[in-house]
Amino acid sequence: MAAGLANFVVVANRLPVDRDFNPDGTTTWRTSPGGLVSALEPVMRRKGGAWIGWHGAADERLRPFEHDGIRLVPVRLSTQEVVEYYEGFSNGTLWPLYHDVVAPPQFHREWWDSYVAVNQRFAKAAARVAKRKATVWVQDYQLQLVPAMLRELRPDLRIGFFLHIPFPPTELFQQLPWRRQILEGLIGADLVGFQLPGGAANFIRLVRDRVGHKTKGSMIFLPDGRTVEARAFPISIDAKSFEKLAQSAEVEARAKELRASLGNPKTVLLGIDRLDYTKGLRLRLRAFGELIRDGSIPVDDSVFVQVATPSRERVEQYRILRADIDRLVGGINADVGRIGAQPITYVHASFPREEMAALYRAADVMVVTPLRDGMNLVAKEYVACRFDDTGALVLSEFAGAAAELKQAYQVNPYDINGMKATLLEATQASPRELARRMRTMRRVVTDHDIDAWAHEFIQALSPR
Ligand code: GDG
């Protein structure tokens, strides 16, 4: 295959842009908000990069184009592939399986066939675009077969892979009828990155036991002499830009306004999550509702603001979850609220970044209690926004972020009584105690930001 144009290629399910359809009939592309794009932008510009991904509209073929100095290469998906590869195998099979089976994964052979076909299309697109000996960085669970498929087409490339979600314990992974193909797909890479050392260890053990390759520490030795490294690269956020945003006069004013509109309660608790069954919304809201009901927190003192960002709305489990949470919040507010005091303010919507920062500034207690989460960037964003060392972070032990944010009030999200006790403790902690914890956490997030993450991965991937 002829060598292409780019020295550094990112392959991800989605392109880092959203499209606006203007009233005059024209369309414009907007860079979608997100740490990954901003972290990789400088590398992309410097090295002459390209980003390969789906543009978000089924059945539409688009030519490669340039946006903000980055070459974007759209990959087509048919309506059926969106159903089978994306909503089906990626989000109905792999997502629940990799998150400790907190919802039952579904196994369908047609979904798998579609996953293989789409991964092949992404691999071919990368093979066309990458220059000789270029570096290709494949992202996430939707594209686990791409590394091996791409190596087959272009053995000259350096290939990295990063998994943003947890890699499950071997006992759960073994349920997957196509477990061996996934493992073989991943070891097509030179470097396989995980959020936590535990995920890397699960993967290495499976490669040894299921595929039969020799391993030592973080290294996998293939029969053809090639080696693959598998280890943790915990992802982070653009801490400086969050801090700066939080310090702006507009955000500070908006935070005050938000508190006022909630009736200036003593304590504002906050949850911000994609509406996903892994995020633990149900148990968290129940714990808070019980604290109000049993009088531990007076109803006039506190408000819990829960923002649930719409997500995967065509997948049935997500529709069920939405109805569940609607009902639960309605029930709690009806049971323990009173006229003029609704204990839970619930919004199913997404907001601009400035509003997110204002919410982080307005919240005394940030409640992040996923049942399982690769990292959880919301926890890190809250910390970055608390530049004055105020505020408490209540954090699930089962979020990747718990490994770094040790000074958070950590909870087991399945233990409702434990969660109640910790919420109470965080709500009542002294400013001095809060500052002690927040200071250390802020150092962690500032020292290891998204740039450091991207740099470490790319460094580890470069040929020695
Ligand atoms: C996956 C893994 C891992 C949310 N609502 C709005 C909004 N957001 C932003 C947050 C944050 C991001 O979305 C969510 O990131 P999380 O890490 O919390 O969760 P996932 O979406 O599940 O991400 C996760 C991550 O990949 C990265 O590797 O940490 O474990 O599951 O940045 O701020 N942003 C805006 N409006 C919203 O309404 N602007």
Side-chain angles (χ1 to χ4, degrees), residues 33-35 95 99 140 162-166 195 235 237 242 272-274 276 278-279 307 309-310 312 349-354 356 360 372-379 381 400:
W95 179 267
H99 286 88
D140 227 358
F162 184 76
L163 185 70
H164 291 255
I165 67 175
Q195 301 276 24
I235 200 168
I237 57 160
F242 267 99
I272 300 184
D273 312 79
R274 259 187 323 98
D276 194 295
T278 60
K279 301 289 183 183
V307 174
T309 312
R312 303 176 192 167
S350 56
F351 295 104
R353 244 168 70 94
E354 294 71 23
M356 300 276 291
Y360 291 141
R372 180 58 73 193
D373 214 331
M375 176 56 60
N376 198 295
L377 299 181
V378 166
E381 289 165 5

mmCIF file of all heavy atoms in Angstrom, residues 33-35 95 99 140 162-166 195 235 237 242 272-274 276 278-279 307 309-310 312 349-354 356 360 372-379 381 400, ligand 1:
data_model
loop_
_atom_site.group_PDB
_atom_site.id
_atom_site.type_symbol
_atom_site.label_atom_id
_atom_site.label_comp_id
_atom_site.label_asym_id
_atom_site.label_seq_id
_atom_site.Cartn_x
_atom_site.Cartn_y
_atom_site.Cartn_z
ATOM 1 N N PRO A 33 -15.826 19.743 22.634
ATOM 2 C CA PRO A 33 -15.063 19.960 23.859
ATOM 3 C C PRO A 33 -14.504 18.635 24.346
ATOM 4 O O PRO A 33 -15.146 17.595 24.206
ATOM 5 C CB PRO A 33 -16.123 20.492 24.831
ATOM 6 C CG PRO A 33 -17.440 20.068 24.271
ATOM 7 C CD PRO A 33 -17.268 19.897 22.812
ATOM 8 N N GLY A 34 -13.314 18.652 24.880
ATOM 9 C CA GLY A 34 -12.769 17.404 25.404
ATOM 10 C C GLY A 34 -11.271 17.502 25.537
ATOM 11 O O GLY A 34 -10.601 18.159 24.731
ATOM 12 N N GLY A 35 -10.776 16.853 26.583
ATOM 13 C CA GLY A 35 -9.358 16.915 26.900
ATOM 14 C C GLY A 35 -8.494 16.274 25.835
ATOM 15 O O GLY A 35 -7.410 16.781 25.517
ATOM 16 N N TRP A 95 -19.399 -2.545 26.730
ATOM 17 C CA TRP A 95 -19.505 -1.553 27.821
ATOM 18 C C TRP A 95 -19.935 -2.216 29.137
ATOM 19 O O TRP A 95 -19.216 -2.096 30.148
ATOM 20 C CB TRP A 95 -20.433 -0.402 27.397
ATOM 21 C CG TRP A 95 -20.604 0.645 28.459
ATOM 22 C CD1 TRP A 95 -21.597 0.695 29.401
ATOM 23 C CD2 TRP A 95 -19.751 1.770 28.712
ATOM 24 N NE1 TRP A 95 -21.418 1.785 30.225
ATOM 25 C CE2 TRP A 95 -20.293 2.462 29.827
ATOM 26 C CE3 TRP A 95 -18.575 2.263 28.114
ATOM 27 C CZ2 TRP A 95 -19.709 3.619 30.340
ATOM 28 C CZ3 TRP A 95 -18.003 3.414 28.637
ATOM 29 C CH2 TRP A 95 -18.566 4.079 29.729
ATOM 30 N N HIS A 99 -17.479 -3.135 32.519
ATOM 31 C CA HIS A 99 -17.790 -2.443 33.782
ATOM 32 C C HIS A 99 -18.377 -3.438 34.772
ATOM 33 O O HIS A 99 -19.477 -3.241 35.310
ATOM 34 C CB HIS A 99 -18.748 -1.270 33.546
ATOM 35 C CG HIS A 99 -18.099 -0.086 32.897
ATOM 36 N ND1 HIS A 99 -18.001 0.071 31.541
ATOM 37 C CD2 HIS A 99 -17.482 1.010 33.428
ATOM 38 C CE1 HIS A 99 -17.370 1.203 31.264
ATOM 39 N NE2 HIS A 99 -17.043 1.797 32.395
ATOM 40 N N ASP A 140 -9.618 3.296 22.438
ATOM 41 C CA ASP A 140 -10.818 2.783 23.098
ATOM 42 C C ASP A 140 -11.491 1.517 22.564
ATOM 43 O O ASP A 140 -11.168 0.992 21.526
ATOM 44 C CB ASP A 140 -11.834 3.916 23.244
ATOM 45 C CG ASP A 140 -12.413 3.962 24.668
ATOM 46 O OD1 ASP A 140 -12.047 3.090 25.482
ATOM 47 O OD2 ASP A 140 -13.228 4.851 24.960
ATOM 48 N N PHE A 162 -4.983 2.809 23.495
ATOM 49 C CA PHE A 162 -5.342 3.175 24.868
ATOM 50 C C PHE A 162 -6.809 2.857 25.140
ATOM 51 O O PHE A 162 -7.698 3.238 24.368
ATOM 52 C CB PHE A 162 -5.079 4.659 25.154
ATOM 53 C CG PHE A 162 -5.361 5.011 26.590
ATOM 54 C CD1 PHE A 162 -4.474 4.655 27.592
ATOM 55 C CD2 PHE A 162 -6.548 5.654 26.956
ATOM 56 C CE1 PHE A 162 -4.753 4.936 28.939
ATOM 57 C CE2 PHE A 162 -6.829 5.937 28.290
ATOM 58 C CZ PHE A 162 -5.924 5.570 29.280
ATOM 59 N N LEU A 163 -7.053 2.162 26.246
ATOM 60 C CA LEU A 163 -8.410 1.810 26.652
ATOM 61 C C LEU A 163 -8.881 2.794 27.723
ATOM 62 O O LEU A 163 -8.294 2.867 28.802
ATOM 63 C CB LEU A 163 -8.430 0.381 27.196
ATOM 64 C CG LEU A 163 -9.814 -0.171 27.548
ATOM 65 C CD1 LEU A 163 -10.638 -0.411 26.285
ATOM 66 C CD2 LEU A 163 -9.697 -1.468 28.344
ATOM 67 N N HIS A 164 -9.945 3.537 27.426
ATOM 68 C CA HIS A 164 -10.433 4.547 28.375
ATOM 69 C C HIS A 164 -11.297 3.967 29.486
ATOM 70 O O HIS A 164 -11.563 4.632 30.476
ATOM 71 C CB HIS A 164 -11.225 5.626 27.620
ATOM 72 C CG HIS A 164 -10.372 6.480 26.745
ATOM 73 N ND1 HIS A 164 -10.025 7.759 27.072
ATOM 74 C CD2 HIS A 164 -9.748 6.226 25.573
ATOM 75 C CE1 HIS A 164 -9.244 8.263 26.132
ATOM 76 N NE2 HIS A 164 -9.066 7.353 25.203
ATOM 77 N N ILE A 165 -11.777 2.748 29.290
ATOM 78 C CA ILE A 165 -12.667 2.145 30.296
ATOM 79 C C ILE A 165 -11.896 1.027 31.016
ATOM 80 O O ILE A 165 -10.781 0.698 30.620
ATOM 81 C CB ILE A 165 -13.986 1.647 29.644
ATOM 82 C CG1 ILE A 165 -13.750 0.480 28.685
ATOM 83 C CG2 ILE A 165 -14.672 2.799 28.903
ATOM 84 C CD1 ILE A 165 -15.038 -0.128 28.114
ATOM 85 N N PRO A 166 -12.451 0.459 32.077
ATOM 86 C CA PRO A 166 -11.676 -0.568 32.789
ATOM 87 C C PRO A 166 -11.455 -1.802 31.911
ATOM 88 O O PRO A 166 -12.263 -2.074 31.027
ATOM 89 C CB PRO A 166 -12.603 -0.946 33.963
ATOM 90 C CG PRO A 166 -13.620 0.139 34.058
ATOM 91 C CD PRO A 166 -13.769 0.718 32.700
ATOM 92 N N GLN A 195 -6.024 2.476 32.148
ATOM 93 C CA GLN A 195 -6.133 3.520 33.171
ATOM 94 C C GLN A 195 -5.384 3.127 34.440
ATOM 95 O O GLN A 195 -4.793 3.965 35.105
ATOM 96 C CB GLN A 195 -7.606 3.778 33.523
ATOM 97 C CG GLN A 195 -8.476 4.219 32.350
ATOM 98 C CD GLN A 195 -8.404 5.721 32.081
ATOM 99 O OE1 GLN A 195 -7.415 6.357 32.446
ATOM 100 N NE2 GLN A 195 -9.405 6.256 31.427
ATOM 101 N N ILE A 235 -5.333 8.684 32.764
ATOM 102 C CA ILE A 235 -5.644 9.905 31.995
ATOM 103 C C ILE A 235 -5.962 11.050 32.953
ATOM 104 O O ILE A 235 -6.302 10.833 34.115
ATOM 105 C CB ILE A 235 -6.805 9.653 31.004
ATOM 106 C CG1 ILE A 235 -6.816 10.701 29.895
ATOM 107 C CG2 ILE A 235 -8.141 9.602 31.732
ATOM 108 C CD1 ILE A 235 -7.733 10.346 28.737
ATOM 109 N N ILE A 237 -6.851 15.719 33.017
ATOM 110 C CA ILE A 237 -7.623 16.820 32.417
ATOM 111 C C ILE A 237 -6.712 18.006 32.141
ATOM 112 O O ILE A 237 -5.569 18.048 32.615
ATOM 113 C CB ILE A 237 -8.740 17.288 33.370
ATOM 114 C CG1 ILE A 237 -8.146 17.714 34.722
ATOM 115 C CG2 ILE A 237 -9.775 16.203 33.570
ATOM 116 C CD1 ILE A 237 -9.059 18.609 35.530
ATOM 117 N N PHE A 242 -9.146 24.630 33.363
ATOM 118 C CA PHE A 242 -10.288 24.587 34.286
ATOM 119 C C PHE A 242 -10.103 25.573 35.425
ATOM 120 O O PHE A 242 -11.022 26.293 35.806
ATOM 121 C CB PHE A 242 -10.513 23.168 34.829
ATOM 122 C CG PHE A 242 -11.497 22.390 34.005
ATOM 123 C CD1 PHE A 242 -11.060 21.470 33.060
ATOM 124 C CD2 PHE A 242 -12.861 22.596 34.133
ATOM 125 C CE1 PHE A 242 -11.962 20.768 32.274
ATOM 126 C CE2 PHE A 242 -13.769 21.900 33.347
ATOM 127 C CZ PHE A 242 -13.315 20.981 32.408
ATOM 128 N N ILE A 272 -22.539 15.273 38.602
ATOM 129 C CA ILE A 272 -22.601 15.503 37.149
ATOM 130 C C ILE A 272 -22.122 14.221 36.473
ATOM 131 O O ILE A 272 -20.975 13.802 36.677
ATOM 132 C CB ILE A 272 -21.690 16.669 36.686
ATOM 133 C CG1 ILE A 272 -22.088 17.994 37.367
ATOM 134 C CG2 ILE A 272 -21.747 16.807 35.164
ATOM 135 C CD1 ILE A 272 -21.293 19.205 36.871
ATOM 136 N N ASP A 273 -23.001 13.614 35.714
ATOM 137 C CA ASP A 273 -22.632 12.360 35.067
ATOM 138 C C ASP A 273 -23.327 12.242 33.720
ATOM 139 O O ASP A 273 -24.419 12.786 33.549
ATOM 140 C CB ASP A 273 -23.124 11.156 35.891
ATOM 141 C CG ASP A 273 -22.784 11.260 37.365
ATOM 142 O OD1 ASP A 273 -23.485 11.994 38.104
ATOM 143 O OD2 ASP A 273 -21.836 10.597 37.777
ATOM 144 N N ARG A 274 -22.721 11.505 32.803
ATOM 145 C CA ARG A 274 -23.517 11.033 31.680
ATOM 146 C C ARG A 274 -24.568 10.118 32.288
ATOM 147 O O ARG A 274 -24.288 9.395 33.246
ATOM 148 C CB ARG A 274 -22.639 10.210 30.726
ATOM 149 C CG ARG A 274 -22.197 10.976 29.514
ATOM 150 C CD ARG A 274 -21.486 10.128 28.491
ATOM 151 N NE ARG A 274 -20.641 9.098 29.038
ATOM 152 C CZ ARG A 274 -20.996 7.829 29.176
ATOM 153 N NH1 ARG A 274 -22.193 7.407 28.792
ATOM 154 N NH2 ARG A 274 -20.152 6.959 29.694
ATOM 155 N N ASP A 276 -25.787 7.169 32.796
ATOM 156 C CA ASP A 276 -25.304 5.816 32.493
ATOM 157 C C ASP A 276 -25.434 4.965 33.760
ATOM 158 O O ASP A 276 -25.174 5.454 34.865
ATOM 159 C CB ASP A 276 -23.824 5.911 32.072
ATOM 160 C CG ASP A 276 -23.333 4.635 31.422
ATOM 161 O OD1 ASP A 276 -23.278 3.580 32.095
ATOM 162 O OD2 ASP A 276 -23.011 4.680 30.223
ATOM 163 N N THR A 278 -23.579 2.818 34.887
ATOM 164 C CA THR A 278 -22.326 2.583 35.630
ATOM 165 C C THR A 278 -22.046 3.698 36.638
ATOM 166 O O THR A 278 -21.170 3.554 37.494
ATOM 167 C CB THR A 278 -21.110 2.530 34.675
ATOM 168 O OG1 THR A 278 -21.029 3.789 33.987
ATOM 169 C CG2 THR A 278 -21.254 1.413 33.667
ATOM 170 N N LYS A 279 -22.749 4.823 36.519
ATOM 171 C CA LYS A 279 -22.360 6.005 37.294
ATOM 172 C C LYS A 279 -22.949 6.024 38.709
ATOM 173 O O LYS A 279 -22.627 6.911 39.497
ATOM 174 C CB LYS A 279 -22.738 7.285 36.543
ATOM 175 C CG LYS A 279 -22.087 7.420 35.158
ATOM 176 C CD LYS A 279 -20.593 7.689 35.231
ATOM 177 C CE LYS A 279 -19.983 7.889 33.844
ATOM 178 N NZ LYS A 279 -18.527 8.071 33.870
ATOM 179 N N VAL A 307 -26.998 16.726 37.707
ATOM 180 C CA VAL A 307 -27.037 16.944 36.262
ATOM 181 C C VAL A 307 -26.766 15.610 35.595
ATOM 182 O O VAL A 307 -25.744 14.970 35.873
ATOM 183 C CB VAL A 307 -25.961 17.964 35.826
ATOM 184 C CG1 VAL A 307 -25.906 18.079 34.311
ATOM 185 C CG2 VAL A 307 -26.214 19.327 36.464
ATOM 186 N N THR A 309 -26.261 14.131 31.915
ATOM 187 C CA THR A 309 -26.115 14.485 30.511
ATOM 188 C C THR A 309 -26.717 13.380 29.643
ATOM 189 O O THR A 309 -26.405 12.204 29.851
ATOM 190 C CB THR A 309 -24.612 14.635 30.186
ATOM 191 O OG1 THR A 309 -24.030 15.442 31.204
ATOM 192 C CG2 THR A 309 -24.384 15.270 28.853
ATOM 193 N N PRO A 310 -27.571 13.753 28.696
ATOM 194 C CA PRO A 310 -28.183 12.728 27.838
ATOM 195 C C PRO A 310 -27.122 11.868 27.152
ATOM 196 O O PRO A 310 -26.092 12.377 26.717
ATOM 197 C CB PRO A 310 -28.942 13.560 26.792
ATOM 198 C CG PRO A 310 -29.176 14.877 27.439
ATOM 199 C CD PRO A 310 -28.025 15.105 28.363
ATOM 200 N N ARG A 312 -26.554 7.985 24.819
ATOM 201 C CA ARG A 312 -26.951 6.704 24.188
ATOM 202 C C ARG A 312 -28.454 6.473 24.266
ATOM 203 O O ARG A 312 -28.924 5.394 24.642
ATOM 204 C CB ARG A 312 -26.208 5.552 24.863
ATOM 205 C CG ARG A 312 -24.709 5.754 24.792
ATOM 206 C CD ARG A 312 -23.904 4.721 25.508
ATOM 207 N NE ARG A 312 -22.524 5.178 25.602
ATOM 208 C CZ ARG A 312 -21.599 4.637 26.366
ATOM 209 N NH1 ARG A 312 -21.894 3.590 27.121
ATOM 210 N NH2 ARG A 312 -20.371 5.115 26.383
ATOM 211 N N ALA A 349 -29.807 17.340 30.977
ATOM 212 C CA ALA A 349 -29.376 18.287 29.944
ATOM 213 C C ALA A 349 -27.860 18.377 29.951
ATOM 214 O O ALA A 349 -27.215 17.963 30.909
ATOM 215 C CB ALA A 349 -29.950 19.674 30.249
ATOM 216 N N SER A 350 -27.301 18.926 28.878
ATOM 217 C CA SER A 350 -25.864 19.204 28.925
ATOM 218 C C SER A 350 -25.647 20.708 28.852
ATOM 219 O O SER A 350 -26.491 21.448 28.363
ATOM 220 C CB SER A 350 -25.115 18.471 27.825
ATOM 221 O OG SER A 350 -25.660 18.801 26.592
ATOM 222 N N PHE A 351 -24.510 21.125 29.373
ATOM 223 C CA PHE A 351 -24.243 22.548 29.539
ATOM 224 C C PHE A 351 -22.897 22.926 28.931
ATOM 225 O O PHE A 351 -22.023 22.077 28.818
ATOM 226 C CB PHE A 351 -24.185 22.899 31.039
ATOM 227 C CG PHE A 351 -25.496 22.710 31.730
ATOM 228 C CD1 PHE A 351 -25.718 21.621 32.554
ATOM 229 C CD2 PHE A 351 -26.524 23.627 31.537
ATOM 230 C CE1 PHE A 351 -26.932 21.436 33.188
ATOM 231 C CE2 PHE A 351 -27.755 23.455 32.169
ATOM 232 C CZ PHE A 351 -27.962 22.361 32.985
ATOM 233 N N PRO A 352 -22.711 24.214 28.622
ATOM 234 C CA PRO A 352 -21.381 24.660 28.187
ATOM 235 C C PRO A 352 -20.372 24.539 29.336
ATOM 236 O O PRO A 352 -20.757 24.462 30.508
ATOM 237 C CB PRO A 352 -21.584 26.123 27.800
ATOM 238 C CG PRO A 352 -22.994 26.453 28.055
ATOM 239 C CD PRO A 352 -23.705 25.283 28.600
ATOM 240 N N ARG A 353 -19.110 24.544 28.964
ATOM 241 C CA ARG A 353 -18.031 24.386 29.941
ATOM 242 C C ARG A 353 -18.054 25.435 31.057
ATOM 243 O O ARG A 353 -17.761 25.145 32.208
ATOM 244 C CB ARG A 353 -16.692 24.520 29.207
ATOM 245 C CG ARG A 353 -15.843 23.276 29.217
ATOM 246 C CD ARG A 353 -14.716 23.455 28.208
ATOM 247 N NE ARG A 353 -13.740 24.453 28.656
ATOM 248 C CZ ARG A 353 -12.639 24.157 29.313
ATOM 249 N NH1 ARG A 353 -12.355 22.909 29.602
ATOM 250 N NH2 ARG A 353 -11.800 25.102 29.686
ATOM 251 N N GLU A 354 -18.433 26.667 30.692
ATOM 252 C CA GLU A 354 -18.467 27.754 31.685
ATOM 253 C C GLU A 354 -19.490 27.432 32.773
ATOM 254 O O GLU A 354 -19.264 27.684 33.956
ATOM 255 C CB GLU A 354 -18.849 29.094 31.032
ATOM 256 C CG GLU A 354 -17.844 29.658 30.039
ATOM 257 C CD GLU A 354 -17.778 28.880 28.734
ATOM 258 O OE1 GLU A 354 -18.769 28.187 28.391
ATOM 259 O OE2 GLU A 354 -16.730 28.945 28.054
ATOM 260 N N MET A 356 -20.480 24.432 33.591
ATOM 261 C CA MET A 356 -19.936 23.315 34.375
ATOM 262 C C MET A 356 -19.025 23.864 35.468
ATOM 263 O O MET A 356 -19.099 23.476 36.634
ATOM 264 C CB MET A 356 -19.104 22.383 33.491
ATOM 265 C CG MET A 356 -19.857 21.758 32.353
ATOM 266 S SD MET A 356 -20.730 20.283 32.859
ATOM 267 C CE MET A 356 -19.373 19.190 33.172
ATOM 268 N N TYR A 360 -19.315 23.580 39.512
ATOM 269 C CA TYR A 360 -18.240 23.093 40.388
ATOM 270 C C TYR A 360 -17.928 24.111 41.489
ATOM 271 O O TYR A 360 -17.658 23.760 42.626
ATOM 272 C CB TYR A 360 -16.957 22.824 39.585
ATOM 273 C CG TYR A 360 -17.014 21.643 38.631
ATOM 274 C CD1 TYR A 360 -16.410 21.712 37.368
ATOM 275 C CD2 TYR A 360 -17.638 20.452 38.988
ATOM 276 C CE1 TYR A 360 -16.431 20.630 36.487
ATOM 277 C CE2 TYR A 360 -17.673 19.362 38.109
ATOM 278 C CZ TYR A 360 -17.064 19.463 36.858
ATOM 279 O OH TYR A 360 -17.081 18.400 36.003
ATOM 280 N N ARG A 372 -18.534 1.443 38.734
ATOM 281 C CA ARG A 372 -17.238 1.148 38.110
ATOM 282 C C ARG A 372 -16.981 2.240 37.079
ATOM 283 O O ARG A 372 -17.906 2.631 36.377
ATOM 284 C CB ARG A 372 -17.277 -0.243 37.457
ATOM 285 C CG ARG A 372 -16.013 -0.680 36.766
ATOM 286 C CD ARG A 372 -14.779 -0.716 37.627
ATOM 287 N NE ARG A 372 -14.743 -1.815 38.570
ATOM 288 C CZ ARG A 372 -13.865 -1.884 39.590
ATOM 289 N NH1 ARG A 372 -12.977 -0.921 39.777
ATOM 290 N NH2 ARG A 372 -13.896 -2.897 40.416
ATOM 291 N N ASP A 373 -15.758 2.755 37.001
ATOM 292 C CA ASP A 373 -15.436 3.838 36.072
ATOM 293 C C ASP A 373 -13.955 3.745 35.726
ATOM 294 O O ASP A 373 -13.132 3.536 36.624
ATOM 295 C CB ASP A 373 -15.728 5.193 36.753
ATOM 296 C CG ASP A 373 -16.237 6.250 35.785
ATOM 297 O OD1 ASP A 373 -15.870 6.185 34.600
ATOM 298 O OD2 ASP A 373 -16.988 7.146 36.225
ATOM 299 N N GLY A 374 -13.637 3.902 34.445
ATOM 300 C CA GLY A 374 -12.237 3.824 34.026
ATOM 301 C C GLY A 374 -11.381 4.802 34.817
ATOM 302 O O GLY A 374 -10.415 4.429 35.486
ATOM 303 N N MET A 375 -11.747 6.100 34.742
ATOM 304 C CA MET A 375 -11.048 7.122 35.514
ATOM 305 C C MET A 375 -12.064 7.967 36.277
ATOM 306 O O MET A 375 -12.134 7.971 37.479
ATOM 307 C CB MET A 375 -10.190 7.998 34.577
ATOM 308 C CG MET A 375 -9.483 9.152 35.250
ATOM 309 S SD MET A 375 -8.434 8.667 36.634
ATOM 310 C CE MET A 375 -7.254 7.574 35.848
ATOM 311 N N ASN A 376 -12.861 8.722 35.533
ATOM 312 C CA ASN A 376 -13.808 9.749 35.970
ATOM 313 C C ASN A 376 -13.143 11.118 36.033
ATOM 314 O O ASN A 376 -12.459 11.479 36.989
ATOM 315 C CB ASN A 376 -14.527 9.465 37.284
ATOM 316 C CG ASN A 376 -15.761 10.363 37.393
ATOM 317 O OD1 ASN A 376 -15.627 11.592 37.471
ATOM 318 N ND2 ASN A 376 -16.928 9.778 37.331
ATOM 319 N N LEU A 377 -13.370 11.855 34.952
ATOM 320 C CA LEU A 377 -12.749 13.165 34.817
ATOM 321 C C LEU A 377 -13.491 14.238 35.598
ATOM 322 O O LEU A 377 -12.892 15.251 35.977
ATOM 323 C CB LEU A 377 -12.690 13.542 33.330
ATOM 324 C CG LEU A 377 -11.875 12.576 32.462
ATOM 325 C CD1 LEU A 377 -11.863 13.042 31.013
ATOM 326 C CD2 LEU A 377 -10.438 12.464 32.981
ATOM 327 N N VAL A 378 -14.773 14.009 35.854
ATOM 328 C CA VAL A 378 -15.556 14.993 36.609
ATOM 329 C C VAL A 378 -14.910 15.226 37.986
ATOM 330 O O VAL A 378 -14.776 16.362 38.441
ATOM 331 C CB VAL A 378 -17.020 14.516 36.741
ATOM 332 C CG1 VAL A 378 -17.772 15.320 37.787
ATOM 333 C CG2 VAL A 378 -17.731 14.618 35.382
ATOM 334 N N ALA A 379 -14.461 14.157 38.626
ATOM 335 C CA ALA A 379 -13.823 14.280 39.942
ATOM 336 C C ALA A 379 -12.586 15.184 39.846
ATOM 337 O O ALA A 379 -12.372 16.067 40.680
ATOM 338 C CB ALA A 379 -13.427 12.901 40.466
ATOM 339 N N GLU A 381 -11.955 17.421 37.496
ATOM 340 C CA GLU A 381 -12.342 18.787 37.127
ATOM 341 C C GLU A 381 -12.799 19.569 38.360
ATOM 342 O O GLU A 381 -12.477 20.757 38.502
ATOM 343 C CB GLU A 381 -13.463 18.743 36.070
ATOM 344 C CG GLU A 381 -12.962 18.261 34.718
ATOM 345 C CD GLU A 381 -14.053 17.841 33.741
ATOM 346 O OE1 GLU A 381 -15.248 18.002 34.056
ATOM 347 O OE2 GLU A 381 -13.709 17.332 32.665
ATOM 348 N N GLY A 400 -11.446 4.887 38.678
ATOM 349 C CA GLY A 400 -9.997 4.892 38.498
ATOM 350 C C GLY A 400 -9.332 6.028 39.258
ATOM 351 O O GLY A 400 -8.239 5.882 39.809
HETATM 352 C C1 GDG B 1 -14.921 7.677 29.622
HETATM 353 C C2 GDG B 1 -14.731 6.706 30.804
HETATM 354 C C3 GDG B 1 -12.814 8.102 31.591
HETATM 355 C C4 GDG B 1 -20.322 15.874 31.139
HETATM 356 N N1 GDG B 1 -21.468 16.549 31.056
HETATM 357 C C5 GDG B 1 -21.181 17.685 30.382
HETATM 358 C C6 GDG B 1 -19.824 17.696 30.060
HETATM 359 N N2 GDG B 1 -19.320 16.560 30.539
HETATM 360 C C7 GDG B 1 -17.901 16.191 30.444
HETATM 361 C C8 GDG B 1 -17.236 16.218 31.798
HETATM 362 C C9 GDG B 1 -16.077 15.258 31.592
HETATM 363 C C10 GDG B 1 -16.635 14.279 30.554
HETATM 364 O O1 GDG B 1 -17.769 14.887 29.956
HETATM 365 C C11 GDG B 1 -17.086 12.987 31.202
HETATM 366 O O2 GDG B 1 -15.961 12.223 31.486
HETATM 367 P P1 GDG B 1 -15.960 11.064 32.567
HETATM 368 O O3 GDG B 1 -14.551 10.656 32.761
HETATM 369 O O4 GDG B 1 -16.595 11.567 33.804
HETATM 370 O O5 GDG B 1 -16.874 9.901 31.977
HETATM 371 P P2 GDG B 1 -17.137 9.146 30.549
HETATM 372 O O6 GDG B 1 -17.882 10.017 29.615
HETATM 373 O O7 GDG B 1 -17.830 7.883 30.922
HETATM 374 O O8 GDG B 1 -15.680 8.845 29.927
HETATM 375 C C12 GDG B 1 -14.141 7.453 31.992
HETATM 376 C C13 GDG B 1 -12.982 8.933 30.334
HETATM 377 O O9 GDG B 1 -13.581 8.157 29.273
HETATM 378 C C14 GDG B 1 -11.632 9.454 29.824
HETATM 379 O O10 GDG B 1 -10.713 8.432 29.621
HETATM 380 O O11 GDG B 1 -12.412 8.956 32.643
HETATM 381 O O12 GDG B 1 -13.922 6.558 33.062
HETATM 382 O O13 GDG B 1 -15.962 6.095 31.145
HETATM 383 O O14 GDG B 1 -14.984 15.904 31.041
HETATM 384 O O15 GDG B 1 -16.856 17.529 32.105
HETATM 385 N N3 GDG B 1 -19.212 18.699 29.432
HETATM 386 C C15 GDG B 1 -19.975 19.766 29.057
HETATM 387 N N4 GDG B 1 -21.317 19.809 29.315
HETATM 388 C C16 GDG B 1 -21.955 18.820 29.976
HETATM 389 O O16 GDG B 1 -23.159 18.901 30.213
HETATM 390 N N5 GDG B 1 -19.397 20.793 28.419
#
